[in-house]
């Protein structure tokens, strides 16, 4: 995730990303049957912006949360995100051959193995949130599972993808487009913030403010994604550029125009920062800097 990150943020991100990568490498099994583990590891390791894990860990830091719980939550969110990309790239969905600068999982391993790898990654996410060693209280396990399952299911990411597929070639108004992206992209980003907050003793005021922050930054991310799809090259994005326009998918750029979409991203960024100011928390600088990166990124 490129952008003007401060030295402090760069150092913080480097430490957290190393911890997430190390944990994922340990928890995603290489020895699953019939090379299934190889496909799972190919789909989730060594690639991606890792924005969702960073949001989990920044929110946990903001509320003084448990680091070991936040790490499990961060890896679980990333597994759900990665599984969704594996399935979305398949011919029955978006039919893409490039993801994170390398061939997509179904291109590399075949469609059946890609489908199974996504299924197994989804299940593993919830396995990480329910350890049997007593390291996470039962109440926290239930809270984290509830947040992630709702964000990933019919009322979140999967529902948004269904709307997206049904909207190809249609003209959506702004309300319809926002609803689609609140589910498809925004729900998991918002859940990342809420899961991080759940790892600590957040007040009702702080929890509500962080929920608003996650909602705003989730939509801002999608608006910027739509902008980048028409302004950046495939080599920069690491995925096929111009795919939405080619497939006649509704986007913020196609609805509003490029400059209006940029203004909307800026408005959502301001809304996210205002939510942080309303939270009453004193350690939100990493969340604020991540919000800055979301709207300033180039890929």
């Amino acid at each position: 995730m490129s952008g003007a990150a401060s030295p402090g943020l760069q150092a913080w991100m480097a430490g957290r990303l190393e911890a997430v990568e190390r944990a994922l490498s340990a928890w995603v099994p290489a020895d699953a049957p019939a090379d299934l583990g190889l496909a799972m590891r190919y789909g989730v390791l060594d690639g991606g912006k890792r924005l969702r894990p960073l949001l989990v860990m920044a929110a946990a830091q903001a509320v003084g949360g448990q680091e070991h719980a936040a790490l499990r939550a961060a890896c679980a969110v990333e597994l759900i995100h990665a599984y969704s990309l594996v399935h979305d790239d398949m011919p029955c969905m978006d039919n893409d051959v490039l993801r994170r600068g390398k061939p997509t999982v179904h291109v590399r391993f075949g469609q059946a193995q890609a489908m199974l790898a996504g299924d197994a990654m989804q299940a593993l996410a919830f396995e990480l949130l329910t350890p049997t060693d007593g390291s996470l209280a039962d109440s926290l396990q239930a809270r984290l599972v509830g947040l992630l399952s709702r964000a990933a299911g019919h009322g979140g990411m999967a529902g948004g993808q269904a709307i997206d597929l049904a909207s190809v070639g249609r003209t959506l108004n702004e309300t319809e487009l926002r609803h689609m992206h609140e589910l498809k992209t925004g729900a998991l980003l918002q859940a990342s913030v809420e899961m991080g907050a759940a790892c600590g003793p957040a007040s009702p005021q702080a929890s509500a403010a962080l929920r608003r922050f996650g909602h705003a930054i989730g939509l801002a991310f999608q608006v910027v994604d739509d902008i980048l799809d028409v302004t950046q090259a495939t080599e920069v994005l690491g995925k096929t550029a111009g795919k939405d326009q080619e497939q006649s998918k509704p986007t913020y750029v196609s609805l509003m125009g490029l400059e209006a979409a940029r203004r909307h991203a800026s408005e959502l960024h301001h809304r996210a920062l205002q939510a942080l100011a309303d939270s009453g928390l004193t350690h939100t600088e990493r969340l604020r800097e991540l919000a800055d990166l979301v709207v300033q990124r180039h890929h």
Side-chain angles (χ1 to χ4, degrees):
M1 187 165 53
S2 60
S6 68
L9 179 62
Q10 288 177 356
W12 180 87
M13 287 173 59
R16 270 58 183 186
L17 291 173
E18 181 183 357
V20 167
E21 208 66 34
R22 190 167 54 245
L24 284 171
S25 184
W27 284 331
V28 180
D31 59 353
D35 291 337
L36 178 62
L38 300 182
M40 293 168 67
R41 292 173 70 85
Y42 183 89
V44 74
L45 295 180
D46 304 320
K49 294 176 278 290
R50 305 293 196 229
L51 173 61
R52 291 153 190 82
L54 290 171
L55 286 171
V56 172
M57 299 175 96
Q61 180 176 304
V63 300
Q66 307 168 32
E67 288 190 8
H68 69 280
L71 181 59
R72 283 186 172 271
C75 290
V77 169
E78 188 64 12
L79 281 164
I80 291 292
H81 174 57
Y83 116 73
S84 76
L85 299 182
V86 172
H87 283 187
D88 288 357
D89 287 336
M90 292 182 65
C92 60
M93 296 272 201
D94 291 346
N95 193 23
D96 220 329
V97 298
L98 189 67
R99 172 69 67 178
R100 294 172 171 174
K102 61 185 183 181
T104 47
V105 175
H106 73 273
V107 170
R108 174 68 176 78
F109 292 92
Q111 292 187 47
Q113 191 79 315
M115 183 67 73
L116 288 172
D119 292 344
M121 289 156 72
Q122 182 187 42
L124 180 59
F126 295 103
E127 186 177 333
L128 295 188
L129 296 178
T130 54
T132 57
D133 60 3
S135 59
L136 290 190
D138 290 350
S139 58
L140 179 55
Q141 291 187 29
R143 174 72 173 145
L144 294 174
V145 167
L147 286 167
L148 187 55
S149 59
R150 291 183 183 93
H154 70 275
M157 183 180 68
Q161 176 70 355
I163 296 172
D164 190 23
L165 292 171
S167 300
V168 173
R170 292 185 54 221
T171 300
L172 302 184
N173 60 38
E174 185 177 348
T175 299
E176 292 170 326
L177 186 65
R178 182 175 64 250
H179 178 61
M180 178 177 79
H181 287 311
E182 282 173 339
L183 272 57
K184 182 183 176 184
T185 305
L188 197 58
L189 286 161
Q190 181 176 329
S192 301
V193 177
E194 291 189 81
M195 290 172 74
C199 294
S203 68
Q205 173 192 351
S207 295
L210 291 177
R211 190 177 305 116
R212 293 198 306 275
F213 169 84
H215 181 265
I217 213 61
L219 281 178
F221 182 91
Q222 184 60 53
V223 176
V224 173
D225 222 41
D226 287 354
I227 292 168
L228 294 176
D229 189 63
V230 299
T231 60
Q232 297 286 11
T234 295
E235 295 75 22
V236 175
L237 294 178
K239 60 183 180 180
T240 308
K243 194 78 173 178
D244 292 336
Q245 186 174 11
E246 179 186 316
Q247 295 183 341
S248 300
K249 286 192 171 186
T251 69
Y252 279 98
V253 174
S254 67
L255 177 68
M256 297 179 163
L258 184 57
E259 291 308 313
R262 284 175 169 150
R263 288 194 298 272
H264 189 46
S266 180
E267 291 165 2
L268 290 165
H269 180 220
H270 175 75
R271 195 180 303 169
L273 298 186
Q274 185 59 54
L276 291 183
D278 294 341
S279 69
L281 298 168
T282 57
H283 298 293
T284 60
E285 62 273 13
R286 297 306 176 216
L287 286 172
R288 176 180 54 78
E289 290 173 312
L290 288 174
D292 294 343
L293 279 188
V294 164
V295 297
Q296 294 167 2
R297 78 187 201 277
H298 306 301
H299 62 79

